């Protein structure tokens, strides 16, 4: 433990990562996950091909509004967010990919407010000298991310960038601080704030506090801007269920007027909805042949929960995972093989109709210890794989998973 304390001190010395512990236990491991270059290529190929399928899904949804309202079940304001941005949804994303005996499996794409960038970059940097013969897959992540922002922003120089995030929640502050560092190294002006700090400016512009912004990096989940309704029938109402109508009018108005760019676009409200994965499987005939092949190869069978008989879900408990439409980081995920029968049946009963999917369980390839598996978070920037975030866990990937350095053996 003293060795970890020294490691944690080195990791936090830069002032970006400040939380090397989770509930009193280490949050990081020093021993890296080492992948062969062929494994990295397979992970990247799976993530990129599925990102292309997600893009095709968004084009389908833009052409057929019923897919958004009836199949995905978006609320009225969520549909308005989609219409204001469609078909644009992507800037940066993280595909969660597992290596199995049958190849890579992509269990979801986090494309709304993806996390892990700070852990991936700084954790690798903290141990890189001890692994000089290995390649760091994250060495260009910042450069590519900033290049994407610059390309979207156009000719505005120097850029004024606003980072919009939930300032009352410290969990993702390290990512926000890393972004700020990257931006300021390029001479960009950076302003941090929450949606409640958005302001209107002349000529249709928007900004944070007293600073107009050319670009907003949005790290405030799309479903938090809109109506908020619990996904469990026995869950108490959300404390602040009303949509952020005034704040949305400011930032969306400027985006529609063309005076600012928003990354990720609010169209991520469709792509992030996990029922999009059910749409891929249930309406696979709508997709192109390359996307159909990718869906069958990489995405576990996924269907809307309400389409499956309760008796089947009880009989096949070990084979299914339940996920809510906008749950994240392991929240609102129930793995049938890891919960008792009574909790599984209660989950089926309490899951609000129209909000859940059932995804076929897969078996990830275990680590040498025989008990843990690695969730390979593949970062995608503009549809291209640009880095890896490794999380090690004995069960499902949640906030208690250990973040690990990841390197490539040449």
């Amino acid at each position: 433990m003293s060795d970890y304390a020294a490691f944690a001190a080195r990791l936090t010395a830069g002032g970006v990562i400040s939380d090397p512990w989770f509930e009193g236990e280490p949050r990081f491991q020093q021993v890296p996950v080492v992948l062969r270059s062929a494994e990295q290529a397979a992970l990247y190929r799976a993530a990129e091909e599925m990102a292309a399928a997600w893009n095709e899904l968004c084009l389908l949804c833009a052409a057929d509004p019923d897919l958004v309202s009836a199949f995905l079940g978006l609320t009225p304001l969520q549909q308005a967010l989609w219409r204001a941005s469609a078909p644009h949804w992507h800037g940066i994303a993280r595909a969660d990919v597992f290596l199995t005996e049958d190849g890579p499996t992509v269990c979801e794409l986090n494309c709304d407010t993806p996390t892990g960038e700070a852990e991936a970059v700084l954790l690798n940097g903290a141990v890189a000298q001890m692994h000089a013969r290995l390649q760091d897959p994250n060495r260009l992540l910042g450069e590519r991310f900033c290049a994407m922002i610059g390309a979207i922003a156009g000719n505005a120089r120097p850029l004024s960038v606003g980072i919009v995030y939930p300032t009352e929640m410290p969990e993702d502050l390290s990512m926000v601080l890393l972004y700020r560092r990257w931006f300021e190294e390029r001479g960009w002006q950076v302003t941090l704030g929450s949606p409640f700090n958005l302001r209107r400016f002349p000529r249709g512009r928007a900004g944070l506090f007293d600073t107009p912004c050319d670009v907003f990096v949005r790290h405030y989940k799309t479903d938090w801007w809109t109506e908020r309704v619990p996904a469990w029938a026995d869950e108490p109402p959300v404390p602040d269920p009303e949509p952020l109508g005034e704040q949305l009018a400011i930032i969306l108005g400027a985006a529609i007027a063309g005076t600012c760019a928003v990354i990720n676009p609010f169209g991520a409200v469709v792509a992030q909805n996990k029922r999009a994965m059910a749409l891929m499987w249930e309406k696979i005939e709508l997709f192109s042949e390359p996307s159909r092949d990718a869906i069958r190869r990489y995405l576990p069978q996924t269907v809307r929960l309400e389409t499956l008989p309760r008796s089947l879900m009880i009989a096949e408990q070990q084979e299914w995972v339940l996920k809510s439409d906008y749950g994240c980081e392991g929240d609102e995920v129930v793995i049938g093989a890891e919960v008792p029968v009574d909790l599984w049946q209660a989950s089926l009963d309490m899951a609000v109709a129209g909000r859940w999917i059932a995804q076929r369980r897969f078996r990830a390839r275990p680590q040498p210890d025989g008990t843990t598996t690695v969730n390979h978070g593949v970062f995608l920037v503009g549809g291209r794989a640009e880095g890896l975030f490794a999380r090690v866990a004995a069960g499902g990937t949640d906030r208690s998973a250990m973040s690990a350095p990841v390197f490539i053996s040449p």
Side-chain angles (χ1 to χ4, degrees):
M1 190 62 70
S2 61
D3 180 54
Y4 181 77
F7 170 71
R10 294 198 310 273
L11 191 60
T12 58
V16 173
I17 290 180
S18 59
D19 52 348
W21 310 89
F22 179 79
E23 296 183 352
E25 296 296 325
R27 193 162 73 90
F28 305 111
Q29 72 175 43
Q30 301 178 61
V31 178
V33 172
V34 180
L35 296 169
R36 299 189 303 272
S37 57
E39 291 174 321
Q40 179 195 28
L43 292 169
Y44 280 15
R45 183 170 56 250
E48 290 178 350
E49 290 184 11
M50 283 307 304
W54 250 277
N55 188 63
E56 196 169 316
L57 178 144
C58 287
L59 294 174
L60 291 169
C61 286
D64 184 357
D66 282 348
L67 294 176
V68 176
S69 58
F71 193 101
L72 299 182
L74 266 61
T75 67
L77 193 51
Q78 288 170 349
Q79 293 179 52
L81 284 189
W82 168 244
R83 288 194 298 270
S85 302
H88 303 297
W89 62 279
H90 180 50
I92 185 169
R94 191 195 74 231
D96 286 349
V97 193
F98 292 82
L99 291 172
T100 75
E101 296 303 324
D102 298 320
T105 292
V106 179
C107 69
E108 59 188 62
L109 182 70
N110 298 282
C111 54
D112 188 11
T113 56
T115 59
E117 295 88 335
E119 290 82 355
V121 170
L122 299 179
L123 193 53
N124 273 20
V127 301
Q129 288 186 345
M130 294 179 283
H131 305 283
R133 68 178 183 85
L134 302 176
Q135 297 173 357
D136 181 358
N138 300 325
R139 64 191 184 280
L140 296 178
L141 180 57
E143 179 181 328
R144 298 287 168 78
F145 179 60
C146 292
M148 177 268 295
I149 290 176
I152 291 175
N155 297 323
R157 294 294 185 274
L159 282 182
S160 173
V161 182
I163 303 178
V164 183
Y165 71 105
T167 54
E168 74 280 10
M169 298 175 63
E171 288 88 345
D172 297 333
L173 182 58
S174 58
M175 187 207 72
V176 171
L177 296 177
L178 181 65
Y179 281 0
R180 183 174 70 178
R181 174 188 292 179
W182 286 346
F183 299 161
E184 289 179 342
E185 286 174 350
R186 288 157 175 78
W188 299 350
Q189 181 180 9
V190 183
T191 308
L192 309 183
S194 78
F196 302 98
N197 304 130
L198 288 165
R199 302 289 184 268
R200 286 188 174 88
F201 289 85
R203 297 185 294 278
R205 300 193 70 190
L208 287 169
F209 296 104
D210 58 354
T211 304
C213 297
D214 305 305
V215 178
F216 291 96
V217 175
R218 179 184 60 79
H219 193 72
Y220 200 93
K221 294 171 56 180
T222 47
D223 59 305
W224 289 359
W225 295 80
T226 62
E227 310 94 330
R228 300 183 65 186
V229 181
W232 294 113
D234 59 347
E235 186 178 355
V238 177
D240 300 304
E242 296 302 316
L244 306 184
E246 181 179 348
Q247 292 75 24
L248 273 172
I250 295 172
I251 191 170
L252 265 184
I256 292 171
T259 61
C260 76
V262 180
I263 304 168
N264 283 322
F266 281 101
V269 71
V270 159
Q272 182 66 32
N273 189 303
K274 292 187 180 63
R275 289 165 72 86
M277 294 186 288
L279 194 156
M280 291 180 182
W281 269 97
E282 292 185 43
K283 294 188 177 292
I284 196 169
E285 72 280 358
L286 300 178
F287 289 80
S288 67
E289 185 174 350
S291 288
R292 291 198 300 269
D293 290 343
I295 291 165
R296 294 189 181 106
R297 182 181 302 118
Y298 301 123
L299 183 68
Q301 180 191 6
T302 308
V303 294
R304 293 168 293 172
L305 178 59
E306 66 269 22
T307 67
L308 296 175
R310 186 176 185 275
S311 58
L312 174 70
M313 295 302 293
I314 292 175
E316 297 185 359
Q317 174 180 341
Q318 300 294 313
E319 300 303 316
W320 292 98
V321 177
L322 308 182
K323 298 181 180 182
S324 70
D325 47 5
Y326 289 107
C328 66
E329 303 303 330
D331 293 338
E332 296 175 0
V333 173
V334 184
I335 301 174
E338 297 182 5
V339 298
V341 172
D342 57 344
L343 179 55
W344 178 254
Q345 295 185 10
S347 299
L348 294 173
D349 293 337
M350 291 297 106
V352 173
R355 298 286 305 279
W356 291 79
I357 60 168
Q359 188 173 77
R360 184 74 68 173
R361 181 178 173 237
F362 58 91
R363 275 71 173 175
R365 192 173 71 190
Q367 287 288 91
D369 62 15
T371 60
T372 61
T373 59
V374 180
N375 181 336
H376 302 276
V378 179
F379 290 112
L380 294 150
V381 179
R384 286 182 52 191
E386 299 290 358
L388 288 165
F389 173 38
R391 287 172 293 170
V392 181
T397 309
D398 57 21
R399 298 181 193 278
S400 65
M402 293 277 285
S403 298
V406 56
F407 291 95
I408 310 303
S409 176

